[in-house]
Amino acid sequence: MKIMKLSAIALSILIAVASCSTEKKTTEAIDTKKMLDYCIAKTVATMNSLTAADSLPRNIYPGQTRWNKVGIHYWTSGFWPGILWYAYEVSGDTTILANAQKFTEPLQGVLDVPVDNHDLGFIFYCSFGNGNRLKPDSAYHNVLLTAADSLATLYNPKVGTILSWPAMRAKMNWPHNTIIDNMINLELLFWASKNGGTQNHYDIAVKHAETCMKTLVRSDYTTFHVAVFDTIDGHFIKGVTHQGYADSSMWARGQAWGIYGYSMCFRETGKPEFLETAQKLADVFISRLPEDGIPYWDFDDPAIPNTTKDASAAAIAASGMLELSGLVKDEVAKAKYKNAAVALLAKLSTPEYLSGDKNQAFLLHSTGHRPNGTEIDASINYADYYYLEALLRLKKMEN
Ligand code: GLY
């Protein structure tokens, strides 16, 4: 495919064709190739509009058409390079490759300042991790190992988890806090343990996942956003929320991080309790989806249906459930998670959720931090990242 020669007209046609072809019920199969082409065309259009390599697409608010950008220290900085790596993986286009490298390398600067949150996995595994997977490179390898070592410094052996938000210890009086999102950062530690790191990287990741299974995961397999622990004896004090509707509610993206994280932990360890947790988190998520198939930002917001959706939660859950369907042995369960993932992707691939020519992103209708009043009904770069990742996973499964 001569991706770089796509003109603006060709892009519009591609978007229109993609949208029309997906106006069907969500249970029907998705045209994976067509949607991947759509993502690549939009990636190239964004890529060609960017100048500074350390200014990274983050969000687009309703009514805006172009990406608002952030610097390398934001937790979302790895997603744009990650999108470029996936677009390169799909297309083989060397101009996209050059841009993937260009937008990955400035992120090294994150390691020049003292670690102040757990997001190193998001930042480095999406960017350098995908880069090293597709184009093995000793410099990338070393950056990943340094990032894993830095992440490991946040581990508290008394508690058995990584500290997510150091700043919240004083601000919220949360002596040691761990959020469900942190499950995703464990992939960097698992990678390090197999690629020149130590057994300690593996042990921290496993212990973190085990502790969260007993604290962040509730007995009904919904999840807290934040677990607060005592630092003297390490006990679990309470589960609370930060980005969800209430301490007791099921924040949609948190549940999606859990599905994705525990599936990945089973892949890396073979521990059956992680697989069982991933399945039960997915079962709750699937059983509580609204009629149109895309979650509201929090499953327990009493304003439903008069509140916002979260396309990012749908995309993360879809990618996680595709992995899960490849891990379970039982054929019925395998089909259940694959069908649920395809249904999410199919709905996201309709004109209601595709940004088309409305803005530069792939998707509309994500909710970032509703209690904070930010990124409500917006396009957000991690929704795009996981949507593209899920399409790529589906394509590999189809092959
Ligand atoms: N990791 C932060 C979020 O999901 O919004």
Side-chain angles (χ1 to χ4, degrees), residues 75 122 181 243 251 253 257 368 382:
W75 79 274
F122 283 109
D181 327 28
Q243 284 166 257
W251 176 48
R253 194 161 59 257
W257 291 136
Y382 47 84

Side-chain angles (χ1 to χ4, degrees), residues 13 36 100 104 110 125 155 161 186 194 207 231 243 245 248 255 325 399:
I13 292 167
L36 282 168
T104 292
V110 173
Y125 206 71
Y155 180 69
T161 67
L186 305 183
K194 296 182 290 189
K207 185 67 184 167
T231 47
Q243 284 166 257
Y245 172 74
S248 59
Q255 193 77 10
S325 79
N399 289 343

Side-chain angles (χ1 to χ4, degrees), residues 10 12 37 43 85 89 156 158 197 238 268 304 389 395:
S12 309
D37 287 349
T43 300
W85 282 111
E89 184 173 4
N156 181 334
K158 186 74 91 178
K238 60 182 175 180
E268 293 298 329
I304 288 173
E389 179 184 88
K395 180 180 167 224

Side-chain angles (χ1 to χ4, degrees), residues 266-280:
F266 175 70
R267 181 229 302 155
E268 293 298 329
T269 65
K271 287 180 178 291
E273 59 271 33
F274 293 158
L275 182 65
E276 187 189 350
T277 300
Q279 284 189 250
K280 292 198 165 149

Side-chain angles (χ1 to χ4, degrees), residues 23-326:
E23 280 182 37
K24 36 186 166 180
K25 290 197 181 75
T26 56
T27 47
E28 288 178 22
I30 179 173
D31 189 336
T32 313
K33 183 183 178 310
K34 197 162 280 177
M35 298 324 301
L36 282 168
D37 287 349
Y38 162 81
C39 291
I40 290 167
K42 295 215 80 174
T43 300
V44 170
T46 290
M47 189 177 89
N48 290 338
S49 76
L50 297 175
T51 46
D54 58 356
S55 180
L56 302 145
R58 160 78 189 237
N59 59 38
I60 308 174
Y61 279 89
Q64 296 181 326
T65 57
R66 301 177 74 75
W67 286 109
N68 297 303
K69 300 177 198 79
V70 293
I72 60 170
H73 294 281
Y74 285 75
W75 79 274
T76 53
S77 64
F79 294 120
W80 168 245
I83 286 169
L84 288 164
W85 282 111
Y86 282 142
Y88 165 65
E89 184 173 4
V90 174
S91 66
D93 185 276
T94 52
T95 305
I96 298 180
L97 168 63
N99 276 273
Q101 292 163 332
K102 170 179 149 185
F103 284 95
T104 292
E105 284 155 24
L107 268 54
Q108 284 179 76
V110 173
L111 297 173
D112 295 340
V113 297
V115 61
D116 67 352
N117 66 65
H118 66 146
D119 291 319
L120 297 175
F122 283 109
I123 293 171
F124 286 96
Y125 206 71
C126 299
S127 56
F128 284 89
N130 276 315
N132 191 57
R133 178 175 62 83
L134 294 167
K135 286 269 168 198
D137 180 309
S138 60
Y140 281 34
H141 188 279
N142 290 339
V143 168
L144 288 164
L145 283 180
T146 306
D149 283 341
S150 186
L151 178 59
T153 63
L154 293 174
Y155 180 69
N156 181 334
K158 186 74 91 178
V159 174
T161 67
I162 292 162
L163 171 65
S164 291
W165 289 330
M168 293 296 216
R169 285 177 299 190
K171 188 174 172 196
M172 299 299 290
N173 193 21
W174 293 342
H176 179 93
N177 56 81
T178 298
I179 64 175
I180 187 72
D181 327 28
N182 204 335
M183 291 300 301
I184 310 305
N185 294 310
L186 305 183
E187 194 162 11
L188 175 65
L189 298 179
F190 284 124
W191 176 89
S193 73
K194 296 182 290 189
N195 291 279
T198 65
Q199 177 69 27
N200 198 38
H201 291 121
Y202 180 89
D203 292 344
I204 289 173
V206 170
K207 185 67 184 167
H208 180 105
E210 287 172 349
T211 306
C212 291
M213 222 165 52
K214 295 179 203 137
T215 53
L216 280 170
V217 178
R218 304 182 184 113
S219 56
D220 63 358
Y221 288 93
T222 63
T223 47
F224 289 115
H225 184 196
V226 187
V228 180
F229 299 92
D230 181 77
T231 47
I232 310 296
D233 66 4
H235 80 272
F236 173 57
I237 299 172
K238 60 182 175 180
V240 292
T241 199
H242 183 62
Q243 284 166 257
Y245 172 74
D247 291 346
S248 59
S249 70
M250 181 160 93
W251 176 48
R253 194 161 59 257
Q255 193 77 10
W257 291 136
I259 295 165
Y260 190 109
Y262 278 101
S263 300
M264 177 273 293
C265 284
F266 175 70
R267 181 229 302 155
E268 293 298 329
T269 65
K271 287 180 178 291
E273 59 271 33
F274 293 158
L275 182 65
E276 187 189 350
T277 300
Q279 284 189 250
K280 292 198 165 149
L281 295 178
D283 292 345
V284 173
F285 187 95
I286 294 166
S287 72
R288 294 192 55 191
L289 285 171
E291 202 170 332
D292 88 336
I294 300 298
Y296 290 94
W297 73 285
D298 188 305
F299 284 84
D300 297 304
D301 181 352
I304 288 173
N306 300 312
T307 188
T308 48
K309 295 292 185 100
D310 186 9
S312 77
I316 296 159
S319 190
M321 287 196 283
L322 285 176
E323 164 134 77
L324 183 56
S325 79

